[in-house]
């Protein structure tokens, strides 16, 4: 599947950025990681992806953009400027789940308020996107082909940005279900912080779920970019979170009809059946759901039952498109499963080692540290496939411009290495060097989970194959 993963501001010199990032940097010991710093950087990446009005200076080189969209706000998907509803909702769901389950991890990192601020961007967008009166959900803003032919800042876009909808004539319970799940989980996350806001989220979640249930089917409007293979996994997530939000067992009965117990291929923007299985185990304690989760990780973790390729330095390498993403998403689910008492020691160790790889334990010679998260440490991608960070105001730019991106896209995780750990930092490589909102969500969720373990003194000893020296 082709998927190009897919303001006039004074630039901060790279040496100054590096100096600032060294505050509270990792200790100079073999393999040490500053997970709190990495989490804070990840939150900044999402702030850089904002569409619509920006009224702060969190990312100095970003400004207002796409102010005339049919639904204003939300996140740009990746290195492009389309707003795709399915991956945006999938990303939001994982991020909210991490806040719901590992809130103390955000507290430990001193990032709780920053997280609350960041996550309201997609939640506010979803509330605007769901038009209850006309039973219509904005599922995409922008044309993928036209957008990808434009290389420039989002603030300077002038092309038409058509909208695609889920409505009574265009099914899309995958997009609608995941959006409802995010809204319901948003309620659970905000109800003790801002009850009025949370109540609005829940009201939207209920009506959107009811609509999606009555109009089942996969949304085909984003084919070629984000074509889902199923809709029941997203509806399962929505039903489980609505059950928790309302206490109504009718939602749980719905979820039992949506869940499947086959072993998932991966956890990602498309397939969330693994997440559904784990949540159903939490709700029912039925062994069939636990067995499905255990079966998934039997196929993923190293050992006699493993069906997955590993790079020489230890990354669980599911696919060349966003290899880091698939490993990090699975790591997050592993950390949640461990909290549920499922193979806790094994899953925690494996998950932490996957995150360690992304943060630097990925070189065979153990000399220096290269982080796939931009801004972490001193060695990281300088030329990510990302339009906004590669361009400055009042100056033409192109994908082929020489030199590093003039803006440092703090916190973004690039797609990742080849199966042999090799990687080249080149802007034109949208397979390995693009960034995306869904590339960061499991990574950030895992960081929160690891910080939770540190807070409770249950962090496992790790043994990465290629530990780096800071």
């Amino acid at each position: 599947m082709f998927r190009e993963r897919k303001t006039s501001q004074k630039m901060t010199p790279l040496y100054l950025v590096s100096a600032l990032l060294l505050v509270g940097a990792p200790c100079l010991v073999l393999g040490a990681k500053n997970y709190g710093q990495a989490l804070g950087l990840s939150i900044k990446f999402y702030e850089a992806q904002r569409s619509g009005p920006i009224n702060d200076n969190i990312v100095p080189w970003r400004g207002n953009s796409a102010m005339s969209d049919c639904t204003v706000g939300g996140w740009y998907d990746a290195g492009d400027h389309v707003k795709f509803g399915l991956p945006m909702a999938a990303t939001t769901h994982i991020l909210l789940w991490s806040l719901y389950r590992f809130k103390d991890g955000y507290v430990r990192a001193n990032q709780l308020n920053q997280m609350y601020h960041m996550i309201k961007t997609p939640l506010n967008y979803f509330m605007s996107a769901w038009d209850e009166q006309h039973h219509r959900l904005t599922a995409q803003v922008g044309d993928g082909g036209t957008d990808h032919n434009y290389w420039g800042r989002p603030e300077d876009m002038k092309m038409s940005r058509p909208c695609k909808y889920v409505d009574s004539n265009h099914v899309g319970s995958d997009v609608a279900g995941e959006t409802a799940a995010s809204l319901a989980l948003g309620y659970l996350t905000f109800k003790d912080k801002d009850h009025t806001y949370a109540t609005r989220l829940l009201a939207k979640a209920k009506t959107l779920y009811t609509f999606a249930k009555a109009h089942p089917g996969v949304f085909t409007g984003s084919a070629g970019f984000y074509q889902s293979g199923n809709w029941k996994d997203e509806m399962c997530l929505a039903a489980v979170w609505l059950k928790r939000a309302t206490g109504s067992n009718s939602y749980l009965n719905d979820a039992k009809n949506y869940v499947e117990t086959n072993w998932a291929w991966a956890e990602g923007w498309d397939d969330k059946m693994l997440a559904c299985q784990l949540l159903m185990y939490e709700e029912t304690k039925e062994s069939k759901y636990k067995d499905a989760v255990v079966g998934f990780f039997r196929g993923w973790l190293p050992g006699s039952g493993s069906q997955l390729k590993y790079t020489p330095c230890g990354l669980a390498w599911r696919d060349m498109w966003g290899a880091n993403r698939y490993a990090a998403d699975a790591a997050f689910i592993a950390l949640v499963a461990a909290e549920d008492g499922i193979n806790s020691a094994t899953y925690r160790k494996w998950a932490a080692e996957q995150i360690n790889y992304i943060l630097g334990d990925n070189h065979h010679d153990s000399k220096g540290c290269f982080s796939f998260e931009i801004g972490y440490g001193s060695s990281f991608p300088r030329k990510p496939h990302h339009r906004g960070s590669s361009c400055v105001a009042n100056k033409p730019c192109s994908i082929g411009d020489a030199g590093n991106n003039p803006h440092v896209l703090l916190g973004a995780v690039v797609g990742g290495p080849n199966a042999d750990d090799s990687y080249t930092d080149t802007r034109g490589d949208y397979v390995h060097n693009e960034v995306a909102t869904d590339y960061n969500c499991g990574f950030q969720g895992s960081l929160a989970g690891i910080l939770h373990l540190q807070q409770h003194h249950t962090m496992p000893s790790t043994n990465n194959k290629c530990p780096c020296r800071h």
Side-chain angles (χ1 to χ4, degrees), residues 92 96 122-124 126-127 130 178-188 198 200-202 204-206 208:
T92 304
L96 283 166
L123 288 174
N124 291 344
F126 296 149
M127 285 197 287
W130 172 228
E178 188 84 40
T179 305
S182 294
L183 290 165
L185 185 48
Y187 164 78
L188 291 168
R200 291 173 54 213
L201 294 171
L202 182 57
K204 287 278 188 173
K206 288 179 177 178
L208 180 54

Side-chain angles (χ1 to χ4, degrees), residues 28-46:
L28 300 179
V29 296
L30 190 67
K33 301 289 181 289
N34 188 327
Y35 302 109
Q37 181 195 33
L39 187 149
L41 288 170
S42 181
I43 291 174
K44 285 195 173 183
F45 164 63
Y46 286 107

Side-chain angles (χ1 to χ4, degrees), residues 263-284:
W263 297 359
W265 181 79
E267 174 74 17
W269 65 264
D270 178 8
D271 188 352
K272 300 100 175 178
M273 196 56 75
L274 176 63
C276 173
Q277 292 160 350
L278 182 56
L279 289 169
M280 287 299 289
Y281 173 66
E282 292 179 357
E283 289 297 322
T284 68

Side-chain angles (χ1 to χ4, degrees), residues 208-223:
L208 180 54
Y209 176 83
T210 299
F211 170 81
K213 182 179 176 180
H215 299 85
V218 168
F219 179 67
T220 60
S222 297

Side-chain angles (χ1 to χ4, degrees), residues 75 87-97 119 122-123 126 182 185:
W75 288 324
M88 192 191 305
T91 296
T92 304
H93 172 255
I94 291 291
L95 290 170
L96 283 166
W97 194 1
I119 205 64
L123 288 174
F126 296 149
S182 294
L185 185 48

Side-chain angles (χ1 to χ4, degrees), residues 165-176:
Y165 301 99
V166 171
D167 55 31
S168 58
N169 297 316
H170 305 88
V171 298
S173 53
D174 50 349
V175 182

Side-chain angles (χ1 to χ4, degrees), residues 183-203:
L183 290 165
L185 185 48
Y187 164 78
L188 291 168
T189 304
F190 277 92
K191 65 185 180 71
D192 294 329
K193 178 178 175 58
D194 186 341
H195 188 73
T196 300
Y197 180 72
T199 301
R200 291 173 54 213
L201 294 171
L202 182 57

